[in-house]
Amino acid sequence: MVAVPLVLARRPVEVPEDAPAGTGPLVDTHGRVHRDLRVSLTDRCSLRCTYCMPEQGNEWLARTSILTLDEIERVARVAAAAGITTFRLTGGEPLLRADIVDVVRRLAAISGPDGPVELAMTTNGIRLAELLPALADAGLRRLNISIDTLRRDRFRELTRRDRLPDVLDGIAAAAASRLRPLKLNTVAMRGVNDDELVELVDFAVGHGAELRFIEQMPLDAGHTWSRDAMVTRAGILDALAARWRLVPLPGRGGAPAERFVLDGVVLPSGQPAAVGVIASVTAPFCGACDRLRLTADGQLRNCLFSTMEYDLLPALRQAQGPGQEGAVLDAEIERMLRACVRGKLPGHAIDDPSFLQPTRGMNAIGG
Ligand code: SAM
Ligand code: SF4
């Protein structure tokens, strides 16, 4: 496998003080309305997936720069008031955060103009079995759990940790819970798990879940992404079509996954079983993207692949004078949020020769 050397980049954006604040929904200059905020709670993780983090030598975010629960809630309230309707907690591994149940409780209690927000989480499943009842009580509504292989030796090699039994316990707990829809995420990789795709779908169906295959993206902190190692959307669909007839589901909207019903297959609930493919590299869905991201250290990002960041930390931490400090701070957060939306490009251009990989790995952006 040939590793493609990638030029890395990060550009903090200076937002002029007289930048227009604006009102109404978060619409960018290409007409996309933003409704989904991915909130990364930490860059730390209990695993070291090869496509995400290096085994050693990762550059961690400074602990002092990690947003507190009050700071996260403050940004989330402003975002919800501006039209964000879904928060997805991610990381790193969100369940490593000691105050995770409080984070869920406080964010789930937020409402915007259209009513209460919906709170979802993407996790590697470790510690989920233990935490799920408290998370569900605190208001978590949806879960995506990542699992790339069902074989313990392979899992250990791929994640550099021998934790498959913990992940399986987490998935079993989620299957037994009332959180639906339940989704499992799999990054498909040539020569790693491409012989397991059908088996993984069977596993998901047996757990009442929808499997979503993700094309591997150039977002690994080790910077070893190679196009040769990817299994493309076409390759994934070919592998599945050898076993099932796939019926495309209409109504994708801004969702990243292209979904297919598995003809004749039903979940334990009796619902038709489906599978999704997230083809960010070979079939990008940027035209309908409605997502923004907040990193664990307070940077707003308008795209996974963006090299630009809008830094909320100075505003969140500036010394406040007496009087209108809360309102002034919220107005500043909203100004940055709207500037971030306005600065969004039409697409990510992974296929363009000028493409620059973001400096941050996926664990520090929030997938
Ligand atoms: N630790 C949690 C987990 O693994 O689910 C949440 C964070 S992780 C960054 C979120 C998702 O991003 C996971 O489903 C993971 O498989 C996916 N991911 C990480 N690096 C990726 C890459 N280079 N290409 C595609 N997907 C990636
Ligand atoms: Fe951790 Fe998730 Fe990255 Fe794997 S993909 S190393 S579980 S943050």
Side-chain angles (χ1 to χ4, degrees):
M1 183 195 309
V2 184
V4 179
L6 291 157
V7 188
L8 312 176
R10 172 177 183 244
R11 267 192 296 151
V13 178
E14 294 282 339
V15 179
E17 278 184 16
D18 57 354
T23 53
L26 296 167
V27 189
D28 72 7
T29 57
H30 308 279
R32 295 168 294 194
V33 182
H34 291 74
R35 302 230 175 263
D36 182 314
L37 180 66
R38 310 277 157 126
V39 180
S40 176
L41 298 179
T42 176
D43 60 332
R44 318 274 153 155
C45 191
S46 38
L47 300 178
R48 293 288 182 275
C49 304
T50 51
Y51 50 73
C52 181
M53 294 175 76
E55 182 164 19
Q56 286 175 338
N58 193 53
E59 280 186 35
W60 303 107
L61 299 177
R63 284 190 190 272
T64 49
S65 71
I66 302 295
L67 297 188
T68 64
L69 171 50
D70 286 345
E71 290 167 341
I72 294 169
E73 185 187 22
R74 173 147 234 150
V75 178
R77 280 193 186 283
V78 173
I84 293 291
T85 55
T86 303
F87 297 129
R88 174 171 293 279
L89 305 179
T90 182
E93 176 45 44
L95 297 182
L96 283 186
R97 196 146 159 152
D99 56 358
I100 184 64
V101 176
D102 291 331
V103 173
V104 167
R105 184 173 300 109
R106 300 252 298 257
L107 295 199
I110 293 176
S111 283
D114 299 331
V117 296
E118 187 171 48
L119 194 63
M121 180 187 289
T122 302
T123 168
N124 64 25
I126 296 171
R127 295 194 70 217
L128 186 60
E130 164 201 345
L131 289 168
L132 190 53
L135 294 170
D137 282 353
L140 186 67
R141 289 287 161 264
R142 288 192 283 123
L143 268 174
N144 284 33
I145 309 174
S146 303
I147 181 155
D148 300 321
T149 175
L150 297 168
R151 304 187 193 170
R152 191 162 174 171
D153 54 341
R154 229 176 231 192
F155 185 94
R156 191 173 48 227
E157 206 170 312
L158 180 60
T159 68
R160 303 163 174 134
R161 299 288 186 272
D162 186 18
R163 304 292 299 270
L164 181 61
D166 301 302
V167 176
L168 296 178
D169 286 351
I171 294 174
S177 78
R178 59 186 153 82
L179 299 196
R180 292 292 183 279
L182 175 61
K183 294 177 183 159
L184 303 186
N185 290 356
T186 296
V187 178
M189 289 159 282
R190 191 163 305 290
V192 177
N193 63 355
D194 53 345
D195 57 347
E196 262 188 272
L197 305 191
V198 164
E199 215 178 309
L200 281 157
V201 174
D202 276 334
F203 173 82
V205 170
H207 286 76
E210 176 171 322
L211 197 92
R212 292 149 55 104
F213 291 106
I214 309 175
E215 282 184 346
Q216 188 178 349
M217 299 178 275
L219 288 170
D220 56 316
H223 307 298
T224 59
W225 181 80
S226 139
R227 192 172 289 271
D228 305 343
M230 273 183 60
V231 182
T232 62
R233 168 188 178 277
I236 293 163
L237 293 180
D238 279 353
L240 302 183
R243 164 84 178 272
W244 296 287
R245 193 169 81 85
L246 303 174
V247 184
L249 268 169
R252 178 173 174 185
E258 189 183 355
R259 298 175 66 221
F260 301 85
V261 165
L262 299 167
D263 196 22
V265 184
V266 286
L267 299 175
S269 62
Q271 298 279 101
V275 70
V277 180
I278 302 179
S280 314
V281 179
T282 66
F285 37 87
C286 306
C289 178
D290 67 351
R291 280 170 291 287
L292 298 171
R293 292 183 150 78
L294 175 66
T295 67
D297 60 341
Q299 309 296 308
L300 279 171
R301 298 175 59 90
N302 53 30
C303 176
L304 266 181
F305 300 96
S306 177
T307 55
M308 296 187 294
E309 298 186 337
Y310 298 74
D311 190 356
L312 292 183
L313 261 194
L316 284 168
R317 297 197 174 168
Q318 78 200 358
Q320 296 288 317
Q324 292 295 308
E325 59 273 84
V328 171
L329 176 48
D330 288 354
E332 175 62 7
I333 295 168
E334 182 172 354
R335 200 174 65 88
M336 297 290 278
L337 191 62
R338 291 189 183 277
C340 178
V341 171
R342 268 198 310 278
K344 185 155 169 161
L345 299 175
H348 60 50
I350 295 177
D351 271 330
D352 194 292
S354 64
F355 174 72
L356 302 178
Q357 180 174 347
T359 318
R360 290 173 187 264
M362 188 69 137
N363 67 303
I365 297 174

PDB file of all heavy atoms in Angstrom, residues 336-356:
ATOM      1  N   MET A 336     -19.892  34.698  15.455  1.00  0.00           N
ATOM      2  CA  MET A 336     -18.898  33.724  14.966  1.00  0.00           C
ATOM      3  C   MET A 336     -19.589  32.572  14.227  1.00  0.00           C
ATOM      4  O   MET A 336     -19.115  32.101  13.195  1.00  0.00           O
ATOM      5  CB  MET A 336     -18.095  33.159  16.145  1.00  0.00           C
ATOM      6  CG  MET A 336     -17.266  34.165  16.899  1.00  0.00           C
ATOM      7  SD  MET A 336     -15.870  34.774  15.955  1.00  0.00           S
ATOM      8  CE  MET A 336     -14.688  33.469  16.216  1.00  0.00           C
ATOM      9  N   LEU A 337     -20.704  32.136  14.779  1.00  0.00           N
ATOM     10  CA  LEU A 337     -21.456  31.028  14.168  1.00  0.00           C
ATOM     11  C   LEU A 337     -21.903  31.406  12.753  1.00  0.00           C
ATOM     12  O   LEU A 337     -21.742  30.643  11.793  1.00  0.00           O
ATOM     13  CB  LEU A 337     -22.670  30.756  15.068  1.00  0.00           C
ATOM     14  CG  LEU A 337     -23.518  29.517  14.848  1.00  0.00           C
ATOM     15  CD1 LEU A 337     -22.682  28.262  15.047  1.00  0.00           C
ATOM     16  CD2 LEU A 337     -24.682  29.510  15.857  1.00  0.00           C
ATOM     17  N   ARG A 338     -22.435  32.602  12.636  1.00  0.00           N
ATOM     18  CA  ARG A 338     -22.924  33.029  11.322  1.00  0.00           C
ATOM     19  C   ARG A 338     -21.761  33.273  10.354  1.00  0.00           C
ATOM     20  O   ARG A 338     -21.867  32.997   9.161  1.00  0.00           O
ATOM     21  CB  ARG A 338     -23.811  34.274  11.467  1.00  0.00           C
ATOM     22  CG  ARG A 338     -25.114  33.937  12.170  1.00  0.00           C
ATOM     23  CD  ARG A 338     -26.120  35.075  12.158  1.00  0.00           C
ATOM     24  NE  ARG A 338     -27.302  34.679  12.917  1.00  0.00           N
ATOM     25  CZ  ARG A 338     -28.309  33.959  12.430  1.00  0.00           C
ATOM     26  NH1 ARG A 338     -28.295  33.578  11.164  1.00  0.00           N
ATOM     27  NH2 ARG A 338     -29.337  33.628  13.189  1.00  0.00           N
ATOM     28  N   ALA A 339     -20.639  33.753  10.873  1.00  0.00           N
ATOM     29  CA  ALA A 339     -19.469  33.943  10.004  1.00  0.00           C
ATOM     30  C   ALA A 339     -18.979  32.582   9.505  1.00  0.00           C
ATOM     31  O   ALA A 339     -18.592  32.422   8.343  1.00  0.00           O
ATOM     32  CB  ALA A 339     -18.364  34.659  10.772  1.00  0.00           C
ATOM     33  N   CYS A 340     -19.006  31.588  10.391  1.00  0.00           N
ATOM     34  CA  CYS A 340     -18.570  30.240  10.025  1.00  0.00           C
ATOM     35  C   CYS A 340     -19.466  29.671   8.915  1.00  0.00           C
ATOM     36  O   CYS A 340     -18.994  29.081   7.942  1.00  0.00           O
ATOM     37  CB  CYS A 340     -18.620  29.366  11.294  1.00  0.00           C
ATOM     38  SG  CYS A 340     -18.169  27.666  11.040  1.00  0.00           S
ATOM     39  N   VAL A 341     -20.774  29.885   9.055  1.00  0.00           N
ATOM     40  CA  VAL A 341     -21.718  29.404   8.033  1.00  0.00           C
ATOM     41  C   VAL A 341     -21.467  30.141   6.716  1.00  0.00           C
ATOM     42  O   VAL A 341     -21.408  29.522   5.643  1.00  0.00           O
ATOM     43  CB  VAL A 341     -23.178  29.595   8.523  1.00  0.00           C
ATOM     44  CG1 VAL A 341     -24.169  29.322   7.405  1.00  0.00           C
ATOM     45  CG2 VAL A 341     -23.446  28.695   9.722  1.00  0.00           C
ATOM     46  N   ARG A 342     -21.289  31.456   6.793  1.00  0.00           N
ATOM     47  CA  ARG A 342     -21.067  32.241   5.565  1.00  0.00           C
ATOM     48  C   ARG A 342     -19.789  31.817   4.853  1.00  0.00           C
ATOM     49  O   ARG A 342     -19.684  31.879   3.642  1.00  0.00           O
ATOM     50  CB  ARG A 342     -20.955  33.740   5.896  1.00  0.00           C
ATOM     51  CG  ARG A 342     -22.246  34.511   5.843  1.00  0.00           C
ATOM     52  CD  ARG A 342     -21.994  36.010   5.743  1.00  0.00           C
ATOM     53  NE  ARG A 342     -21.053  36.492   6.731  1.00  0.00           N
ATOM     54  CZ  ARG A 342     -21.368  36.790   7.991  1.00  0.00           C
ATOM     55  NH1 ARG A 342     -22.612  36.661   8.405  1.00  0.00           N
ATOM     56  NH2 ARG A 342     -20.459  37.211   8.839  1.00  0.00           N
ATOM     57  N   GLY A 343     -18.804  31.349   5.620  1.00  0.00           N
ATOM     58  CA  GLY A 343     -17.508  30.999   5.032  1.00  0.00           C
ATOM     59  C   GLY A 343     -17.470  29.598   4.436  1.00  0.00           C
ATOM     60  O   GLY A 343     -16.423  29.155   3.944  1.00  0.00           O
ATOM     61  N   LYS A 344     -18.582  28.889   4.451  1.00  0.00           N
ATOM     62  CA  LYS A 344     -18.567  27.488   3.990  1.00  0.00           C
ATOM     63  C   LYS A 344     -18.427  27.411   2.465  1.00  0.00           C
ATOM     64  O   LYS A 344     -19.127  28.101   1.723  1.00  0.00           O
ATOM     65  CB  LYS A 344     -19.864  26.810   4.441  1.00  0.00           C
ATOM     66  CG  LYS A 344     -19.932  25.321   4.138  1.00  0.00           C
ATOM     67  CD  LYS A 344     -20.873  24.657   5.120  1.00  0.00           C
ATOM     68  CE  LYS A 344     -21.214  23.245   4.745  1.00  0.00           C
ATOM     69  NZ  LYS A 344     -21.742  22.487   5.891  1.00  0.00           N
ATOM     70  N   LEU A 345     -17.522  26.550   2.025  1.00  0.00           N
ATOM     71  CA  LEU A 345     -17.293  26.383   0.585  1.00  0.00           C
ATOM     72  C   LEU A 345     -18.334  25.429   0.008  1.00  0.00           C
ATOM     73  O   LEU A 345     -18.960  24.666   0.752  1.00  0.00           O
ATOM     74  CB  LEU A 345     -15.886  25.817   0.349  1.00  0.00           C
ATOM     75  CG  LEU A 345     -14.728  26.687   0.838  1.00  0.00           C
ATOM     76  CD1 LEU A 345     -13.394  25.964   0.653  1.00  0.00           C
ATOM     77  CD2 LEU A 345     -14.726  28.026   0.103  1.00  0.00           C
ATOM     78  N   PRO A 346     -18.494  25.423  -1.331  1.00  0.00           N
ATOM     79  CA  PRO A 346     -19.521  24.540  -1.898  1.00  0.00           C
ATOM     80  C   PRO A 346     -19.212  23.058  -1.709  1.00  0.00           C
ATOM     81  O   PRO A 346     -20.118  22.237  -1.632  1.00  0.00           O
ATOM     82  CB  PRO A 346     -19.538  24.906  -3.387  1.00  0.00           C
ATOM     83  CG  PRO A 346     -18.336  25.736  -3.630  1.00  0.00           C
ATOM     84  CD  PRO A 346     -17.898  26.323  -2.327  1.00  0.00           C
ATOM     85  N   GLY A 347     -17.918  22.691  -1.626  1.00  0.00           N
ATOM     86  CA  GLY A 347     -17.596  21.271  -1.499  1.00  0.00           C
ATOM     87  C   GLY A 347     -16.205  21.077  -0.953  1.00  0.00           C
ATOM     88  O   GLY A 347     -15.457  22.045  -0.767  1.00  0.00           O
ATOM     89  N   HIS A 348     -15.838  19.805  -0.700  1.00  0.00           N
ATOM     90  CA  HIS A 348     -14.561  19.566  -0.008  1.00  0.00           C
ATOM     91  C   HIS A 348     -13.373  19.325  -0.925  1.00  0.00           C
ATOM     92  O   HIS A 348     -12.234  19.355  -0.489  1.00  0.00           O
ATOM     93  CB  HIS A 348     -14.691  18.421   0.987  1.00  0.00           C
ATOM     94  CG  HIS A 348     -15.094  17.115   0.380  1.00  0.00           C
ATOM     95  ND1 HIS A 348     -14.476  16.569  -0.714  1.00  0.00           N
ATOM     96  CD2 HIS A 348     -16.056  16.233   0.745  1.00  0.00           C
ATOM     97  CE1 HIS A 348     -15.041  15.397  -0.988  1.00  0.00           C
ATOM     98  NE2 HIS A 348     -16.002  15.174  -0.132  1.00  0.00           N
ATOM     99  N   ALA A 349     -13.628  18.986  -2.201  1.00  0.00           N
ATOM    100  CA  ALA A 349     -12.557  18.882  -3.197  1.00  0.00           C
ATOM    101  C   ALA A 349     -11.448  17.893  -2.839  1.00  0.00           C
ATOM    102  O   ALA A 349     -10.280  18.144  -3.135  1.00  0.00           O
ATOM    103  CB  ALA A 349     -11.964  20.270  -3.455  1.00  0.00           C
ATOM    104  N   ILE A 350     -11.820  16.748  -2.215  1.00  0.00           N
ATOM    105  CA  ILE A 350     -10.791  15.738  -1.934  1.00  0.00           C
ATOM    106  C   ILE A 350     -10.096  15.319  -3.231  1.00  0.00           C
ATOM    107  O   ILE A 350      -8.912  15.014  -3.255  1.00  0.00           O
ATOM    108  CB  ILE A 350     -11.410  14.473  -1.290  1.00  0.00           C
ATOM    109  CG1 ILE A 350     -12.002  14.776   0.078  1.00  0.00           C
ATOM    110  CG2 ILE A 350     -10.375  13.360  -1.142  1.00  0.00           C
ATOM    111  CD1 ILE A 350     -12.693  13.588   0.719  1.00  0.00           C
ATOM    112  N   ASP A 351     -10.880  15.315  -4.325  1.00  0.00           N
ATOM    113  CA  ASP A 351     -10.331  14.832  -5.589  1.00  0.00           C
ATOM    114  C   ASP A 351      -9.492  15.877  -6.321  1.00  0.00           C
ATOM    115  O   ASP A 351      -8.879  15.584  -7.332  1.00  0.00           O
ATOM    116  CB  ASP A 351     -11.471  14.359  -6.509  1.00  0.00           C
ATOM    117  CG  ASP A 351     -11.759  12.892  -6.262  1.00  0.00           C
ATOM    118  OD1 ASP A 351     -10.806  12.168  -5.892  1.00  0.00           O
ATOM    119  OD2 ASP A 351     -12.915  12.483  -6.420  1.00  0.00           O
ATOM    120  N   ASP A 352      -9.468  17.107  -5.799  1.00  0.00           N
ATOM    121  CA  ASP A 352      -8.702  18.149  -6.457  1.00  0.00           C
ATOM    122  C   ASP A 352      -7.225  18.020  -6.080  1.00  0.00           C
ATOM    123  O   ASP A 352      -6.907  17.787  -4.903  1.00  0.00           O
ATOM    124  CB  ASP A 352      -9.248  19.505  -5.986  1.00  0.00           C
ATOM    125  CG  ASP A 352      -8.747  20.643  -6.852  1.00  0.00           C
ATOM    126  OD1 ASP A 352      -7.532  20.932  -6.811  1.00  0.00           O
ATOM    127  OD2 ASP A 352      -9.591  21.223  -7.558  1.00  0.00           O
ATOM    128  N   PRO A 353      -6.294  18.181  -7.038  1.00  0.00           N
ATOM    129  CA  PRO A 353      -4.874  18.063  -6.710  1.00  0.00           C
ATOM    130  C   PRO A 353      -4.434  19.066  -5.646  1.00  0.00           C
ATOM    131  O   PRO A 353      -3.453  18.844  -4.933  1.00  0.00           O
ATOM    132  CB  PRO A 353      -4.170  18.352  -8.038  1.00  0.00           C
ATOM    133  CG  PRO A 353      -5.212  18.281  -9.091  1.00  0.00           C
ATOM    134  CD  PRO A 353      -6.550  18.418  -8.462  1.00  0.00           C
ATOM    135  N   SER A 354      -5.187  20.174  -5.498  1.00  0.00           N
ATOM    136  CA  SER A 354      -4.791  21.187  -4.511  1.00  0.00           C
ATOM    137  C   SER A 354      -5.329  20.875  -3.113  1.00  0.00           C
ATOM    138  O   SER A 354      -5.160  21.667  -2.194  1.00  0.00           O
ATOM    139  CB  SER A 354      -5.305  22.562  -4.953  1.00  0.00           C
ATOM    140  OG  SER A 354      -6.726  22.545  -4.954  1.00  0.00           O
ATOM    141  N   PHE A 355      -6.004  19.724  -2.945  1.00  0.00           N
ATOM    142  CA  PHE A 355      -6.615  19.394  -1.654  1.00  0.00           C
ATOM    143  C   PHE A 355      -5.561  19.357  -0.541  1.00  0.00           C
ATOM    144  O   PHE A 355      -4.504  18.768  -0.674  1.00  0.00           O
ATOM    145  CB  PHE A 355      -7.305  18.021  -1.735  1.00  0.00           C
ATOM    146  CG  PHE A 355      -7.828  17.545  -0.398  1.00  0.00           C
ATOM    147  CD1 PHE A 355      -8.931  18.139   0.182  1.00  0.00           C
ATOM    148  CD2 PHE A 355      -7.200  16.510   0.285  1.00  0.00           C
ATOM    149  CE1 PHE A 355      -9.414  17.712   1.416  1.00  0.00           C
ATOM    150  CE2 PHE A 355      -7.665  16.070   1.523  1.00  0.00           C
ATOM    151  CZ  PHE A 355      -8.781  16.676   2.084  1.00  0.00           C
ATOM    152  N   LEU A 356      -5.873  20.026   0.567  1.00  0.00           N
ATOM    153  CA  LEU A 356      -4.999  20.014   1.740  1.00  0.00           C
ATOM    154  C   LEU A 356      -5.702  19.247   2.849  1.00  0.00           C
ATOM    155  O   LEU A 356      -6.837  19.585   3.205  1.00  0.00           O
ATOM    156  CB  LEU A 356      -4.729  21.433   2.240  1.00  0.00           C
ATOM    157  CG  LEU A 356      -4.097  22.426   1.267  1.00  0.00           C
ATOM    158  CD1 LEU A 356      -3.955  23.792   1.927  1.00  0.00           C
ATOM    159  CD2 LEU A 356      -2.728  21.935   0.822  1.00  0.00           C
TER     160      LEU A 356
END
